[in-house]
Amino acid sequence: MASLGDLERSVMSLLWDSGQRLSANEVCEQLDEDLAVTTVLTVLSRLEKKGLVQRERTTRPHRYAATASREEHTVQMLNEVLGTVPDREAVLARFIGGVSECEAAALRKILSP
Amino acid sequence: MASLGDLERSVMSLLWDSGQRLSANEVCEQLDEDLAVTTVLTVLSRLEKKGLVQRERTTRPHRYAATASREEHTVQMLNEVLGTVPDREAVLARFIGGVSECEAAALRKILSP
DNA sequence: GAAACAGTTCTACATTGTGTAGAAACTTGT
DNA sequence: ACAAGTTTCTACACAATGTAGAACTGTTTC
């Protein structure tokens, strides 16, 4: 349910990079493309409805921020993908089989008790 | 680019479960829903275009099979998700931080040299 | 407090992906 | 050559997304 379009992804990326609460105008300016503010507002609303963005309604202009960090969100995505298969560990085994030795070492370190 | 709709997913699931090359008719029969064969053929064609399904055109009826195993395909999805972030390992670290002790043990075993 | 302005919501339209299937075209055994 | 089975073409509905104008609302200023 949390698939994002290109523009939605750009906006999230922006919010993640600047850990700040941004106004729609700020988001609009910082985007590479040259879009109408209403466009950005629409996208922000949609992201809010999807639960990816949190909006401060008390201030004027409203300020928007990502509800979860990029990492948290991506982990959620990973788990969503893993939820589509019957044997989660089989997939993880194969995933690990495909990573570089370098990354494998990093994973070992993370896992070491 | 490899997001699947519900029906597409059902069909893939079927092809994965039966490791066989199936005809459109067989797929159609084995699906729970009661669909027209042409519907199944459309979906199979779309899956072929996406590269998820391979079709034997020499036989009559054509036979369809998944190009990659469910695990391979899911790993590809995982890597696609991981490709959207700048710091892949940060995500993996967080992912591992969230798994059960049981699964962590399994991962350690897979990673052990 | 009315006007000007900034910001937000509503509404709308185009495009694309997906589910769905009939009509038309094609293949093959008899 | 025809009937039966199979595939391709075409088509339509519905949802998600990109896009933005029109209308509304809240704020500031004279």
Side-chain angles (χ1 to χ4, degrees):
Chain A
M1 202 276 169
S3 75
L4 298 187
D6 289 343
L7 181 52
E8 290 176 329
R9 180 163 300 284
S10 296
V11 169
M12 285 310 298
S13 211
L14 218 156
L15 290 177
W16 278 322
D17 286 343
S18 114
Q20 309 276 314
R21 289 170 239 296
L22 300 180
S23 71
N25 259 309
E26 287 165 333
V27 171
C28 196
E29 280 161 22
Q30 284 176 56
L31 280 172
D32 290 335
E33 290 112 309
D34 191 30
L35 297 170
V37 195
T38 52
T39 299
V40 173
L41 278 160
T42 302
V43 168
L44 284 168
S45 291
R46 287 177 183 164
L47 288 170
E48 189 193 16
K49 192 188 300 185
K50 292 189 192 184
L52 297 189
V53 155
Q54 196 172 0
R55 125 154 57 175
E56 193 108 58
R57 284 190 138 92
T58 54
T59 67
R60 199 83 193 182
H62 297 179
R63 322 227 118 220
Y64 303 81
T67 50
S69 75
R70 187 181 232 138
E71 286 76 24
E72 281 162 355
H73 174 257
T74 312
V75 167
Q76 210 175 310
M77 297 281 88
L78 291 182
N79 280 318
E80 232 165 84
V81 169
L82 287 170
T84 65
V85 302
D87 188 349
R88 190 181 146 107
E89 298 206 2
V91 173
L92 288 177
R94 205 171 268 255
F95 172 76
I96 287 175
V99 306
S100 67
E101 181 46 48
C102 171
E103 192 161 272
L107 294 181
R108 262 184 231 113
K109 187 172 284 181
I110 295 166
L111 276 162
S112 66
Chain B
M1 202 273 172
S3 75
L4 299 186
D6 289 343
L7 181 51
E8 290 177 329
R9 182 163 299 286
S10 295
V11 169
M12 285 312 296
S13 212
L14 217 156
L15 291 176
W16 278 322
D17 286 344
S18 114
Q20 309 277 311
R21 289 171 240 296
L22 299 180
S23 72
N25 259 310
E26 287 165 334
V27 171
C28 195
E29 280 162 22
Q30 284 176 56
L31 282 172
D32 290 336
E33 290 111 309
D34 191 30
L35 297 170
V37 195
T38 51
T39 299
V40 173
L41 278 160
T42 303
V43 169
L44 283 167
S45 292
R46 287 176 184 164
L47 288 171
E48 189 193 16
K49 192 188 300 184
K50 291 188 192 183
L52 297 189
V53 155
Q54 196 172 3
R55 127 154 56 175
E56 193 108 59
R57 283 189 138 93
T58 55
T59 68
R60 200 82 192 182
H62 297 179
R63 324 227 113 217
Y64 302 83
T67 49
S69 75
R70 185 181 233 137
E71 286 76 24
E72 281 162 356
H73 173 258
T74 312
V75 167
Q76 211 176 308
M77 298 280 87
L78 292 182
N79 279 317
E80 232 166 82
V81 168
L82 287 170
T84 65
V85 302
D87 187 350
R88 188 182 147 105
E89 298 206 1
V91 172
L92 288 177
R94 206 171 269 255
F95 172 76
I96 286 174
V99 306
S100 67
E101 181 46 49
C102 170
E103 191 160 273
L107 294 181
R108 262 185 231 111
K109 187 172 288 182
I110 295 166
L111 277 163
S112 65

